[in-house]
Each structure stands twice: as C-alpha cells, then as structure tokens.
Amino acid sequence: MKWSKFILLSVICYCFSNILTVEAGRLASMNVVQRLKELEPKHAEIKIRIINFVYSVKYSLVQKTDEFYKQVISAKEESLANSIALEDELLYQLNHQTQAVDSSCLDFLKSIVDSNINVAGVGFSNCINDVERGVESELHQAQKQLNVDESEIFYQSLLDVFQGENVIAGPDAIAAKLQKKAAEIDAFTSDYMSGVFKVVEQFSSKLWDLRNGYQRCLNVNESVLKMAYDVSKNQLTSTCLGSIVNVEP
C-alpha cells in the first residue's frame, strides 16, 4: 500500500513537472514572438534612418559645394579687381606724361600693358579651370562613396531567424538568433553612418585644400602681373624718360 502511494505521488510530481516544463517552453515561445515584435520597428526605423541620413548628407554636400563656389567667385572678383587696379594705375602714369616724353615709346608701353593683362587673363582661366576639375573629381568620389546598395538595406531579412528552427520545440535557438540579429542591425547602422561621416569630413577637407590652392594660384598670377607692371614703370622712367606722377584724388 505504501509503495502504491509512493508510485502515485511520483507520477503526480512527474506530470506536474512536465506541465511546468511545457508551460515554461510555451512562455519562451511567446517571448520569441514578443522579442520579434520589439525588433521589427527598429528594423524598419534603421532602414528609414539610413536612407534619410544619406540624402541629408548629399544635401549637405550640395550646400558645401555652393558655399565653396561663392568663396571661389568672391576670391576671383577680388583678384580681378586688384589686377585691373594695377592696370589702371600704370595707364594713368602713361596717359599723364608731359609732351616732352616720346609718344611712340609710351604707345609701346601701353601695348605691353594690354598684353600683360591679357596674359593675366589666361592665368585666371587656368586657376579657375584647375579648381573646377578638382571639385568635379571630389564630388564624383563622394557621390560614389555615398551610393547606397539598396539590396543591402531593403532586403535585409528579419524573419530568417526561423529558418531551420521550431518556435515550439526550440525557442531558445531562435531567441539567440534574434539577439544576434539586433546586434547586426546596430553594427550595420554604426558602421555605415561612421563611413558616411568620414566621406563628409574628407570632402570638406578636399574643398579646403582646393580653395587654398586656388587662392595661391590667384596670388601668383597677381604677383607676376605686378612684377611685369613694375618693369613697365621702370621702362617709363629709364627708357621713355618719363616720370612718376602723383595720382589726383
């Protein structure tokens, strides 16, 4: 009789234990679905964030390029104005000489002045053409680096965690895959955005280099023109036997 009670009690305990185990297993299965529900909005949000981020960065590149062009145009305007001022200054000297100065000599100098400013114009064109080629190259490179592989984003699967698994019999394996999937999404976002930031930084740095290079080119062009005009001034006094006159206000 005692053995019968013991066996009955053991069976009851075993059944109760199985019930608890089954309930725990079912709870784990439901937790998998709950975790999936939590991960899905994040999965969608990441795609939207990356696409919006890329387009905002492209817009930023357009703004940076626009600002660069404004600075280049402003520098060109200033350099051109300085060069024309040099020409006007020398022409003023040539046009205000006394009648005693050889007019044919003055005409030769005027011709030289005109040629020098035309040569400076070639220099201006070379400077602007070089910087334009540089900008086009950097824009092409940045655009190439920012091209999003849409398949890598849009076709990033979320439900593949169930492949080869059984949500009832083996929920823990799926839960582990979901955990890995969440980490992959975070890593992909972090890596991609870090890469995009690097592209923007490199582009900004290249624009800065191009702007400085353009300014140096303009400075050299102005410097050469000024040296040429200084030579013409010396020729005015030493060859044409003219004089440097005071500029009237």
Side-chain angles (χ1 to χ4, degrees):
M1 187 67 176
K2 290 182 178 180
W3 280 105
S4 298
K5 290 182 179 180
F6 176 75
I7 292 173
L8 179 61
L9 181 61
S10 297
V11 170
I12 292 173
C13 290
Y14 175 76
C15 292
F16 183 70
S17 176
N18 280 348
I19 291 172
L20 292 178
T21 301
V22 169
E23 287 183 352
R26 302 298 178 264
L27 180 60
S29 298
M30 293 303 297
N31 286 340
V32 165
V33 177
Q34 182 60 36
R35 178 60 179 141
L36 186 63
K37 289 170 65 177
E38 294 171 356
L39 188 58
E40 189 282 327
K42 180 179 181 180
H43 182 254
E45 179 193 0
I46 291 303
K47 294 180 180 181
I48 296 171
R49 281 180 58 194
I50 289 178
I51 296 300
N52 288 339
F53 181 67
V54 169
Y55 280 104
S56 67
V57 167
K58 289 182 178 180
Y59 179 72
S60 175
L61 293 186
V62 171
Q63 288 183 310
K64 289 179 182 296
T65 304
D66 178 57
E67 181 61 27
F68 172 79
Y69 278 134
K70 288 178 180 178
Q71 293 172 347
V72 165
I73 292 170
S74 177
K76 182 179 181 65
E77 181 181 30
E78 181 180 356
S79 183
L80 183 60
N82 291 340
S83 298
I84 292 174
L86 286 173
E87 179 190 34
D88 289 343
E89 178 186 348
L90 186 51
L91 287 176
Y92 182 89
Q93 295 296 326
L94 298 177
N95 291 330
H96 288 79
Q97 297 299 310
T98 65
Q99 292 183 350
V101 179
D102 187 344
S103 60
S104 62
C105 187
L106 293 176
D107 288 339
F108 284 137
L109 285 180
K110 289 178 182 179
S111 176
I112 292 173
V113 169
D114 186 60
S115 295
N116 284 334
I117 195 69
N118 286 335
V119 171
V122 174
F124 283 127
S125 295
N126 289 338
C127 292
I128 202 73
N129 290 337
D130 285 345
V131 80
E132 178 61 16
R133 281 192 293 268
V135 171
E136 287 183 358
S137 175
E138 295 305 326
L139 278 173
H140 177 75
Q141 183 66 21
Q143 177 65 32
K144 182 179 178 181
Q145 291 176 307
L146 288 176
N147 278 341
V148 180
D149 183 357
E150 295 183 349
S151 64
E152 189 175 6
I153 297 175
F154 290 119
Y155 303 137
Q156 190 179 64
S157 179
L158 179 62
L159 303 180
D160 58 352
V161 294
F162 290 96
Q163 291 179 4
E165 305 294 346
N166 187 318
V167 71
I168 300 297
D172 291 342
I174 300 176
K177 285 186 176 182
L178 282 173
Q179 185 67 26
K180 182 180 179 182
K181 177 72 68 175
E184 288 175 351
I185 292 174
D186 289 337
F188 176 80
T189 306
S190 176
D191 291 345
Y192 189 85
M193 290 190 173
S194 296
V196 170
F197 277 124
K198 186 176 181 180
V199 171
V200 175
E201 289 176 356
Q202 289 177 341
F203 183 74
S204 298
S205 176
K206 293 295 185 180
L207 285 187
W208 180 261
D209 292 341
L210 286 171
R211 183 165 51 247
N212 289 341
Y214 179 67
Q215 188 61 58
R216 285 193 298 271
C217 185
L218 293 179
N219 292 342
V220 169
N221 199 46
E222 282 185 52
S223 178
V224 171
L225 181 63
K226 188 176 186 307
M227 286 190 293
Y229 282 173
D230 286 342
V231 170
S232 294
K233 276 187 178 181
N234 289 333
Q235 289 176 323
L236 170 63
T237 57
S238 62
T239 304
C240 298
L241 302 180
S243 60
I244 301 300
V245 299
N246 294 326
V247 178
E248 296 181 0

